[in-house]
Every structure is written in C-alpha cells, then in structure tokens.
Amino acid sequence: MIKSIQSVFLGFLFLAPLQGADEKASRPPNVLMICIDDLNDWVGFLGGHPDVKTPHMDLLAKQGRNFTNAHCVVPVCSPSRVSVMSGLHATTHGSYDLGPSYQSIQRLDDVPCIQAYFKGQGYRTLSGGKILHHGFTGYLKDAIDVNLGGHGGPRPKKQMNWPGGAWDWGPFPESDEEMADYRLAKNAATALKQKHEKPFFMSVGIFRPHVPMFVPQKWFDLYDRDKIALPKAPLSDLTDLPPNFNRRLNIEPTQAEVREKGDWRGMVHAYLACVSFADMCVGTILEGLSEGPNKDNTIIVLWSDHGFHLGEKQHWAKRTLWEESTRTPMIIAGPGISRGKGCREAVSLLDIYPTLVDLCDLPKNKHLEGLSLSPQLNDPLAPRKVPVISTSYYENHAIRTKDWRYIRYADGAEELYDHRKDPDEFTNLAKHPDHLERKQALAKWLPKNAAPEVKTLDDRGQGK
Ligand SMILES: [Ca+2]
Ligand SMILES: [Ca+2]
C-alpha cells in the first residue's frame, strides 16, 4: 500500500538498528534508479550540445559506466517505460503509443514490474515522480511501499510564449522550491540519508525537460540566449527520406510551426534551462546518497525514456526512429563498477532490468528480453552480441549496432546510416548498391510476429 508523503517521514522514525559487519557484507546492494523525462543527448557526458551545463550528471558519468550508444525500446513515454519496467519489448507486450497503462495490458498480467520483482525478493520499494506514465495504480499499488511525491511544476495562469497547449515555455515559477521535481529530489535525498531495515529499490522520475518548459529564471540565466548553438537542421536533409509515418506525427509542433508561431532559439534556450534544472535535481538526490550510510552499497542507474528532436530533420520531440529520438543517456555506477570509461556498444533500456537483477544477484526472471550489461560494466569494450531494436508504432523498426542504423517502416521503406562518418544521419545509404549485404544482414534482426497493438485503456473492457 502506498503511504502518503507525510507518513514517509514518520516512517523514518522506525529505523533499523546499526547492522553488524557480517550482516552488512551479505546484504545485497540497494538500487537508486533515476529517470529523466524526454532528456536527449544534450548532456555534457554525451556531447550532444556544446553549451549545455550538466555538472552533476557529468560527475556521475565519470564515476561509473557511461553508455554512449543507449537506445529506448519505443520513442514515446508510456510504452518506453512499460518496456523498462516489464523487461519486455513492445513487440511482445503490444503497447506502441501513449494509450494503455501497464495494468491494462493483458500480456503483462504475469510479468512483475521491476519494483514488484525486487519487493518480492525482500527489497523495500520507494518511488516518486514519473516512473510509469500512468502511475502505480490498480494492482501495481502493492509494488511500492513508500511514495516520495509528485513531479513537474506549476504553470502560469496566462500563456507566456506559445499559443496554448502543452508547448508553452518561459521563466516560471520564481523558486526551485515551487517545483514538484525539486521537492521530489529533496524527499529522495532525505530517504537516502536514512538507514533502512532492508535493502531498498528507489525509483525517482524527474519530469523536466518534458514540456511545458517552465523552470525558474536562474536556469535560463545560465545561458546566453543569443549565443547558444542551434541544432543542425538543413532542409536538404529531407530529400533522401521516405515519407514514413509523418502524418501520424501531429501531436507535436512541426519545425515550420515553430518558425512561424514561435521562437526556435527561445525554445532551444528553454530546453537547455530545463536540462540544467533536471541536472540540479539529480545532484540533490546524489548529494543525499553521498551524505548517508548507503553510499557504498547502492547501484545507481540513470536513464531517460527516449530522446528529443528540437528541429533536426524538421521535427520536434519524439516518435521517430532517428538517432535524436531513440538515443538516451544511460549511466550505471556503484560498487564494483569501474570508473570513467564510456561504452560504445549499442545497448537498450530493456537491459536495465536484467542488469539490476544480475548485479543484485537475484534469481533470474524468465520473462526478461534484454541482456545483462555486466560484461560491459566489467569491460567497456566487451561486445553486446545482438543489435538494439527500437520500434515506433506498429511494425516500424530501427536496428542499431555500434556503427550502423537501419530503419524499416511498415510500408517497406528503408533508411541506412553509417555512424562512423555520419553521426547526424544526413545521408541515407539504403539505396546504395554497396550496402545491400549489410542491409540484408541487419534486416534479419527485424522482429517477426510483432504483438498486435493494445490501443487504449478500454481494450480489455475495464480500463483499470
Ligand atoms: Ca518521455
Ligand atoms: Ca538526409
């Protein structure tokens, strides 16, 4: 049962006595999972934007393994998170868009979410902010012992810079303390400073830089609006692209709309401000960990649910199968994990669940479809022998290896990019005769018999 945030702190009054040395040695590690919503590679440790300031996450990357080629399962919030928490690919669970919650997907009835699995193995589970898009409601309530609070921040009463909807942005509110994301980070830090009777699994979901891009003025002031670099978005990039599923991408503004109605530079500025705010929240959480008794026995995993376009390929936000949309930060740090070296192997957010089960030495969960990254945590050059598959909408897939991206859309159209020479994916090589064999080899990994789409909460007639 979820406790209210007030009772969280009362809970800390009943703390375990100090452990003896033997007990401490045999106790499995704690897990601190931090996920950040819609954070792309605009972080110092991935080098995606020359001006971005993310000192806290950069330090964490230096202290653990920085997976520089990590990708989501689905480039949109809900199914991406369902895949991380269930350990199943979208082509197995059938959620490809925002509609269905974990609880409403029949194929997941027997698949414990990662929090429930760890709880079943004796862990205390704490969670706050945006972890599952639809929350831990219904039967998933039991997966979480302690609720650490909500996420996001307030919105101004009047629009500031964008005509209505979710895409407004600007300096608001006045202080960090008014932001639920910051209060959540403080609550997590408080909990991390405590001793816990059992090993804990804490998941904290920071909502910014997700739109609306409102954070206090001081985060905007970190950047010189007139000097920040804008993304590379040449119109000529579109000439070698198939039409793919453009008509479905009407949720977010197009680059033409941004140019017409808005302020591209201002929105890039706002995103950078929100990223630095999120970084401060991460720093607040990690400071709590470093000041408490759990710092030497806690595995930290930091990730984002997908990437984010800010005009590249004339696109905004997510849902595409290009690098900007599928690539996410992923850092794993903690006891026994060597420091500093990045791993260039293509890895999936699907790997988080089996990796944590492995690192905590828990019994294998037979459902999991990702791979443990223990080999890459031991040696960043260790190969991950299968490529990563990202899926957007039914039957559109991207296959990512260390050096290549191959995209096959439901209508048969293809794209192929060589990341050794073309990290911006400007040149589509799919029709080049030199690459026929490579394309065929990559196409062998395309999922077969993808699960039909579970579309809405009501597909089971109960919407639970
Ligand atoms: Ca998201
Ligand atoms: Ca192009």
Side-chain angles (χ1 to χ4, degrees):
M1 187 173 164
I2 298 181
K3 296 174 186 172
S4 70
I5 189 63
Q6 287 85 0
S7 68
V8 168
F9 298 102
L10 291 177
F12 294 146
L13 296 176
F14 305 101
L15 299 173
L18 288 175
Q19 293 172 316
D22 291 347
E23 189 186 346
K24 192 170 181 181
S26 63
R27 181 168 154 155
N30 309 301
V31 175
L32 169 59
M33 171 188 276
I34 303 173
C35 67
I36 303 170
D37 208 348
D38 288 20
L39 176 64
N40 63 13
D41 66 352
W42 291 15
V43 286
F45 61 96
L46 292 178
H49 193 289
D51 304 316
V52 76
K53 295 180 174 77
T54 52
H56 300 99
M57 288 190 275
D58 294 351
L59 182 61
L60 181 66
K62 280 185 193 155
Q63 291 171 340
R65 183 72 71 241
N66 173 14
F67 288 93
T68 62
N69 192 7
H71 299 273
C72 63
V73 177
V74 185
V76 73
C77 306
S78 179
S80 172
R81 291 157 182 269
V82 164
S83 283
V84 173
M85 301 310 152
S86 67
L88 265 59
H89 201 280
T91 50
T92 304
H93 60 63
S95 172
Y96 303 94
D97 206 346
L98 284 181
S101 64
Y102 193 115
Q103 303 88 312
S104 66
I105 300 169
Q106 198 160 9
R107 293 178 198 88
L108 297 179
D109 280 356
D110 300 325
V111 181
C113 68
I114 189 168
Q115 290 81 1
Y117 192 71
F118 273 71
K119 183 171 173 174
Q121 299 298 325
Y123 276 68
R124 186 178 195 224
T125 53
L126 306 91
S127 184
K130 185 168 163 184
I131 301 297
L132 279 170
H133 186 78
H134 299 87
F136 292 91
T137 56
Y139 76 84
L140 288 184
K141 268 187 187 170
D142 292 340
I144 306 300
D145 294 317
V146 180
N147 181 358
L148 293 169
H151 60 263
R155 294 186 63 151
K157 289 201 174 111
K158 287 186 179 169
Q159 74 181 54
M160 291 183 84
N161 289 293
W162 184 264
W167 280 80
D168 202 3
W169 55 273
F172 185 86
E174 286 202 1
S175 69
D176 292 338
E177 286 72 18
E178 293 167 80
M179 299 290 294
D181 276 342
Y182 179 65
R183 295 196 299 272
L184 167 64
K186 295 288 273 184
N187 291 342
T190 302
L192 289 164
K193 286 179 196 170
Q194 310 296 325
K195 279 190 178 294
H196 294 259
E197 197 174 335
K198 300 196 281 188
F200 63 80
F201 188 108
M202 179 187 290
S203 17
V204 187
I206 304 296
F207 190 57
R208 290 291 182 274
H210 194 291
V211 296
M213 296 187 285
F214 290 115
V215 285
Q217 179 74 51
K218 67 179 177 183
W219 303 105
F220 283 81
D221 291 345
L222 280 182
Y223 301 94
D224 184 339
R225 180 191 181 282
D226 296 328
K227 289 188 180 162
I228 49 175
L230 295 176
K232 289 184 249 178
L235 274 171
S236 58
D237 185 13
L238 302 190
T239 56
D240 57 359
L241 297 180
N244 63 63
F245 40 71
N246 270 331
R247 275 175 301 169
R248 301 183 70 164
L249 305 176
N250 54 5
I251 295 166
E252 292 91 8
T254 62
Q255 176 70 348
E257 274 179 283
V258 168
R259 284 181 183 279
E260 182 194 332
K261 292 200 278 190
D263 171 359
W264 187 19
R265 180 171 289 279
M267 289 168 80
V268 167
H269 185 195
Y271 187 81
L272 289 168
C274 289
V275 169
S276 287
F277 166 81
D279 179 70
M280 177 276 293
C281 292
V282 171
T284 301
I285 297 166
L286 295 179
E287 189 181 349
L289 179 64
S290 70
E291 290 176 359
N294 307 298
K295 68 176 191 299
D296 296 326
N297 195 29
T298 298
I299 294 160
I300 304 164
V301 53
L302 181 142
W303 53 282
S304 166
D305 55 355
H306 47 74
F308 201 80
H309 288 249
L310 289 99
E312 299 94 339
K313 288 190 163 50
Q314 307 301 303
H315 185 75
W316 276 77
K318 44 232 186 185
R319 297 170 185 272
T320 75
L321 289 168
W322 296 309
E323 187 84 345
E324 286 83 5
S325 186
T326 73
R327 187 179 181 210
T328 85
M330 192 207 284
I331 302 168
I332 302 178
I337 298 166
S338 63
R339 290 164 174 250
K341 291 202 172 123
C343 173
R344 282 191 58 237
E345 290 293 314
V347 303
S348 171
L349 296 185
L350 210 52
D351 301 335
I352 290 174
Y353 195 155
T355 301
L356 291 174
V357 167
D358 202 5
L359 291 176
C360 297
D361 206 18
L362 303 185
K364 291 244 183 311
N365 174 346
K366 63 180 180 185
H367 300 286
L368 306 184
E369 296 179 331
L371 298 175
S372 169
L373 298 174
S374 286
Q376 290 74 30
L377 292 173
N378 291 328
D379 173 5
L381 299 178
R384 184 188 181 282
K385 290 183 180 156
V386 299
V388 167
I389 300 163
S390 304
T391 298
S392 188
Y393 302 110
Y394 184 62
E395 289 286 46
N396 304 281
H397 308 290
I399 312 288
R400 185 71 162 87
T401 66
K402 190 157 72 176
D403 295 325
W404 294 86
R405 172 180 300 272
Y406 171 68
I407 303 174
R408 168 88 68 88
Y409 297 98
D411 63 3
E414 297 170 306
E415 293 172 45
L416 179 71
Y417 298 102
D418 181 350
H419 271 263
R420 295 167 302 181
K421 299 174 186 163
D422 183 20
D424 295 304
E425 299 182 339
F426 285 147
T427 306
N428 178 11
L429 300 168
K431 290 187 175 158
H432 199 293
D434 286 358
H435 298 293
L436 187 60
E437 275 184 34
R438 182 177 306 282
K439 229 169 53 175
Q440 286 170 343
L442 289 166
K444 284 184 183 158
W445 295 100
L446 289 167
K448 297 171 183 71
N449 307 315
E453 183 166 6
V454 182
K455 285 188 179 164
T456 69
L457 287 174
D458 298 326
D459 271 13
R460 299 174 74 178
Q462 48 191 317
K464 67 176 179 176

